[in-house]
Amino acid sequence: MTHHTLAPPLAGKRDNPSLATVLGTELARNRRGFVPWYHLLAPVIITVPLFLGALGSSEAKAGQTFEVFRNVTLEFWGVLVPMTAGLAAALSVRADQDAWRLLLSYGVPRGRYFVGKVAALGVLGFVSSTVLLVMLSLGAVLSGKFPGALGTVVAAVYLPWLVGLSMTALAVLVAVMWGMGPSVGVGVAGLLSGALISDKVFWYAVPFAWPMRVVLPLAGIGPNGVPLPKDSPVTDPSAIPLAVGLAAVLTVVLLAIGSLHMSRKEI
């Protein structure tokens, strides 16, 4: 008799895992392969040569080594965030095709698989941003500018990640609906938009440009890494809350669309 009273909750639990459980499973399945290593190593691979380049710059002679290193690194990071979103989503969703055939046959609310995938890639992005912050801090230590010169660096590292979650949601949705190529295309569009559109007056109309746009006023640079004049409208910090707000709305909308698509997806 006792056995019968316990059975339904266990079955219910299997068919109704919390989002945290789905996220944990996603992270566990993502711990091997190219995607986690890319997130860990990309910040190291871009910062080491950039720091060595900054040491040989003309500004280094004026004691501006760290400032040059910081500006060029943040410029690279602003365009790399959406590129990473597209690449990681494409590879991660492709790796899941066989697993989803089994998972989608359970009675689990399917939208959780989509939200869990976006959340897992978001966690990896946060780890990657943290590695970048460590590398920038090491650059500041080696330049004798730690911690004074870091200033807005923490915000300039984590805000593109936060705004870039909308690009991760978009890339995962595109990968689920149309496959790997279009998802990588989202990343390329993000890279180009960051470089070409983030300092234009209509930047807010192009979501791909948002991660780079929040970097510019914090670092005081243009998308080419060159310091901006003090009176440049691009240095206006009001763009940051606008970008964060727009990204939050877009992320929620994309998660809803993705969840709906997954619930209707045929196995």
Side-chain angles (χ1 to χ4, degrees), residues 15-19 22-23 26 108-118 259 262:
D15 285 344
N16 194 24
S18 68
L19 191 55
V22 176
L23 171 60
E26 276 288 339
V108 177
R110 291 173 169 196
R112 282 179 206 173
Y113 295 133
F114 184 84
V115 177
K117 170 71 69 186
V118 174
S259 299
M262 286 296 282

Side-chain angles (χ1 to χ4, degrees), residues 75 79 194-199 212 216 221-226 228 234:
E75 174 213 345
V79 295
L196 302 173
I197 296 171
S198 57
D199 60 343
M212 184 64 164
L216 304 183
I221 55 171
N224 55 0
V226 174
L228 292 163
V234 180

Side-chain angles (χ1 to χ4, degrees), residues 32-87:
R32 292 191 189 90
F34 176 77
V35 172
W37 282 109
Y38 174 88
H39 281 85
L40 285 171
L41 294 178
V44 180
I45 291 167
I46 68 168
T47 49
V48 171
L50 289 178
F51 184 75
L52 295 174
L55 286 174
S57 68
S58 55
E59 290 89 347
K61 298 178 183 64
Q64 300 285 306
T65 303
F66 178 71
E67 287 75 7
V68 173
F69 169 57
R70 177 193 65 200
N71 288 356
V72 182
T73 299
L74 292 175
E75 174 213 345
F76 264 84
W77 196 243
V79 295
L80 194 65
V81 165
M83 184 69 228
T84 299
L87 185 63

Side-chain angles (χ1 to χ4, degrees), residues 195-222:
L196 302 173
I197 296 171
S198 57
D199 60 343
K200 304 294 187 286
V201 290
F202 57 89
W203 65 268
Y204 55 84
V206 185
F208 303 107
W210 297 348
M212 184 64 164
R213 185 63 185 85
V214 295
V215 171
L216 304 183
L218 288 167
I221 55 171

Side-chain angles (χ1 to χ4, degrees), residues 25-26 29 92-106 113 117 262 265 267:
T25 307
E26 276 288 339
R29 293 178 63 242
S92 186
V93 170
R94 189 181 69 168
D96 273 355
Q97 292 305 313
D98 291 335
W100 273 352
R101 284 194 188 95
L102 173 65
L103 292 171
L104 295 179
S105 65
Y106 289 131
Y113 295 133
K117 170 71 69 186
M262 286 296 282
K265 190 177 173 71
I267 302 168

Side-chain angles (χ1 to χ4, degrees), residues 99-161:
W100 273 352
R101 284 194 188 95
L102 173 65
L103 292 171
L104 295 179
S105 65
Y106 289 131
V108 177
R110 291 173 169 196
R112 282 179 206 173
Y113 295 133
F114 184 84
V115 177
K117 170 71 69 186
V118 174
L121 293 177
V123 169
L124 289 175
F126 182 82
V127 170
S128 195
S129 298
T130 304
V131 174
L132 182 77
L133 182 61
V134 169
M135 297 304 291
L136 281 165
S137 299
L138 284 172
V141 170
L142 292 171
S143 308
K145 296 285 184 77
F146 185 86
L150 284 177
T152 57
V153 164
V154 175
V157 166
Y158 287 115
L159 275 170
W161 163 78

